């Protein structure tokens, strides 16, 4: 199952929420969709979920156009919005049963499917609780269960980890791995980049409606090879080390992480020795000086500017 987004555009007046984006992902893959607030992620995902029409462009699920044939395409897509409606008069089981009926499931098959989805998302113990009374983590589970009711090959998940505690995030990550192993094609947006990197095969980085990077995790990191991340610790303390590093021309960015300072630099290994020589010359006693492999968060910080439209 392939998902292709082709020259997708969505304008609101003069605002280009989605500005000519193209990328693709396929079965068994989890693709991260990342960008600053206001980058256009939710707008793009709503179009992929057939909840909005683009100004121009198209998107295809296994060759079916989401724009030209939304009714047919909708059965191939499960959408999890960033928030679950807080209905006060419906239980978890009734909510999932309603959507199963909406997708045409009947009788024994419907009951079996709802039971299976509740079991998979660990909702059996709260199936008779009202939606409004659920915690954030439980609401996210119900939202995921709803997206899975019709067993779609494609899942579009908008900030599913937002507001979850550490245990709930770990459990969600495990569910995503299982779904990918079952052949689902998954597009997930999140601001928790370290966790995305652990579960994603690839990523799309977007800002101001435009794609900055897209591809496998290896391709995205390799594209930033001129940038290096160095971790430094000195007996003089992180604060004074940080202030000094900000004065070094080779250093593009510096931040304190515990007792260490992490910097991003341009250039090859010669720049490492130049920085180390500079620090020693300034009287810093270096306890640790090492290069760290770049990850999705590093690439995000390098290519985005934090700008909104």
């Amino acid at each position: 199952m392939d998902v292709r987004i082709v020259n997708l555009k969505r304008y609101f007046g003069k605002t280009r929420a989605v500005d000519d984006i193209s990328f693709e992902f396929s079965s068994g893959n989890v693709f991260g969709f990342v960008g600053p607030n206001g980058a256009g992620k939710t707008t793009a995902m709503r179009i992929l979920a057939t909840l909005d029409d683009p100004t121009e462009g198209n998107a295809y699920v296994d060759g079916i156009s989401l724009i030209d044939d939304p009714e047919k395409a909708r059965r191939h897509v499960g959408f999890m919005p960033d928030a679950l409606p807080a209905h006060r008069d419906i239980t978890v089981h009734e909510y999932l049963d309603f959507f199963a009926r909406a997708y045409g499931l009947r009788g024994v098959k419907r009951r079996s499917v709802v039971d299976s989805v509740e079991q998979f998302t660990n909702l059996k113990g709260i199936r008779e609780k009202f939606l409004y009374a659920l915690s954030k983590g439980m609401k996210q589970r119900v939202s995921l269960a709803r997206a899975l009711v019709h067993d779609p090959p494609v899942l579009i998940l908008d900030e599913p980890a937002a507001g979850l505690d550490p245990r709930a995030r770990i459990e969600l990550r495990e569910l995503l791995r299982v779904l990918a192993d079952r052949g689902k094609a998954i597009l997930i947006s999140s601001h928790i980049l370290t966790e995305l990197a652990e579960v994603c095969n690839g990523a799309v980085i977007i800002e101001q409606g435009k794609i900055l990077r897209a591809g496998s995790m290896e391709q995205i990191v390799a594209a930033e090879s001129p940038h290096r991340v160095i971790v430094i610790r000195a007996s003089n303390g992180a604060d004074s080390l940080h202030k000094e590093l900000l004065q070094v021309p080779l250093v593009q960015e510096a931040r304190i992480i515990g007792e260490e300072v992490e910097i991003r630099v341009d250039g090859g290994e010669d720049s490492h020795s130049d920085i180390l020589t500079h620090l020693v010359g300034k009287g810093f006693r270096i306890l640790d000086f090492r290069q760290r492999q770049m990850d999705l968060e590093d690439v995000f910080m390098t290519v985005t500017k934090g700008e909104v439209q």
Side-chain angles (χ1 to χ4, degrees):
M1 179 68 66
D2 294 320
V3 182
R4 291 193 303 119
I5 293 85
V6 184
N7 303 122
L8 205 62
K9 301 177 183 179
R10 181 66 169 100
Y11 302 157
F12 297 96
K14 294 182 179 180
T15 301
R16 299 188 174 192
V18 179
D19 195 3
D20 198 17
I21 67 173
S22 299
F23 64 94
E24 58 185 85
F25 58 103
S26 58
S27 298
N29 289 298
V30 182
F31 250 59
F33 198 34
V34 301
N37 289 329
K41 302 185 299 298
T42 295
T43 299
M45 296 181 107
R46 283 179 57 81
I47 292 173
L48 297 180
T50 71
L51 297 176
D52 193 7
D53 292 324
T55 304
E56 293 181 33
N58 214 323
Y60 303 89
V61 174
D62 204 27
I64 304 168
S65 170
L66 291 167
I67 313 305
D68 301 329
D69 198 354
E71 286 296 328
K72 185 176 182 180
R74 198 169 288 141
R75 294 188 172 276
H76 292 75
V77 178
F79 177 57
M80 179 178 173
D82 58 355
L84 182 74
H87 301 292
R88 300 189 64 85
D89 58 349
I90 189 170
T91 67
V92 170
H93 181 73
E94 290 169 342
Y95 184 73
L96 297 178
D97 186 70
F98 170 82
F99 278 93
R101 291 172 185 268
Y103 279 106
L105 299 175
R106 297 289 182 265
V108 175
K109 183 177 181 181
R110 187 189 76 249
R111 291 190 290 274
S112 175
V113 165
V114 173
D115 184 74
S116 177
V117 168
E118 289 175 343
Q119 185 76 36
F120 178 73
T121 52
N122 198 23
L123 294 173
K124 298 288 287 185
I126 63 167
R127 65 201 305 261
E128 299 305 325
K129 285 192 174 184
F130 289 97
L131 291 185
Y132 79 92
L134 300 181
S135 67
K136 175 67 172 180
M138 287 298 102
K139 286 180 179 178
Q140 294 295 75
R141 283 182 178 274
V142 173
S143 192
L144 177 60
R146 180 192 61 190
L148 294 172
V149 161
H150 58 300
D151 194 24
V154 178
L155 292 173
I156 309 295
L157 313 179
D158 191 5
E159 295 288 348
L164 300 187
D165 60 48
R167 174 178 290 276
R169 289 203 303 269
I170 292 171
E171 291 172 348
L172 174 64
R173 191 168 67 225
E174 294 303 318
L175 287 178
L176 292 179
R177 287 198 181 105
V178 171
L179 290 168
D181 289 341
R182 292 182 178 180
K184 305 291 187 186
I186 304 172
L187 182 68
I188 173 174
S189 70
S190 178
H191 289 116
I192 310 172
L193 302 187
T194 52
E195 295 196 355
L196 270 188
E198 291 182 14
V199 73
C200 290
N201 309 98
V204 177
I205 301 177
I206 184 174
E207 186 171 38
Q208 291 191 308
K210 292 182 177 292
I211 288 182
L212 304 180
R213 297 287 187 276
S216 68
M217 298 300 289
E218 293 79 8
Q219 290 170 334
I220 289 176
V221 171
E224 300 304 315
S225 57
H227 302 279
R228 296 171 182 268
V229 180
I230 302 174
V231 180
I232 309 171
R233 183 165 62 94
S235 61
N236 311 62
D239 288 335
S240 58
L241 178 60
H242 179 254
K243 290 178 181 177
E244 182 59 36
L245 285 166
L246 289 175
Q247 308 303 315
V248 180
L250 291 169
V251 176
Q252 304 299 312
E253 182 184 346
R255 59 174 178 167
I256 298 174
I257 303 178
E259 297 180 350
E260 301 175 329
V261 178
E262 186 177 275
I263 62 174
R264 289 181 176 82
V265 300
D266 288 333
E269 293 185 352
D270 288 345
S271 62
H272 298 192
S273 60
D274 291 342
I275 293 171
L276 181 57
T277 300
H278 173 90
L279 292 174
V280 172
K282 290 291 185 176
F284 286 89
R285 299 184 62 186
I286 305 302
L287 304 177
D288 193 9
F289 190 99
R290 67 185 187 277
Q291 180 176 328
R292 181 175 63 75
Q293 182 68 35
M294 289 190 73
D295 57 22
L296 181 60
E297 185 174 289
D298 297 319
V299 175
F300 178 84
M301 293 300 294
T302 298
V303 303
T304 62
K305 298 178 182 178
E307 298 176 346
V308 298
Q309 302 186 70

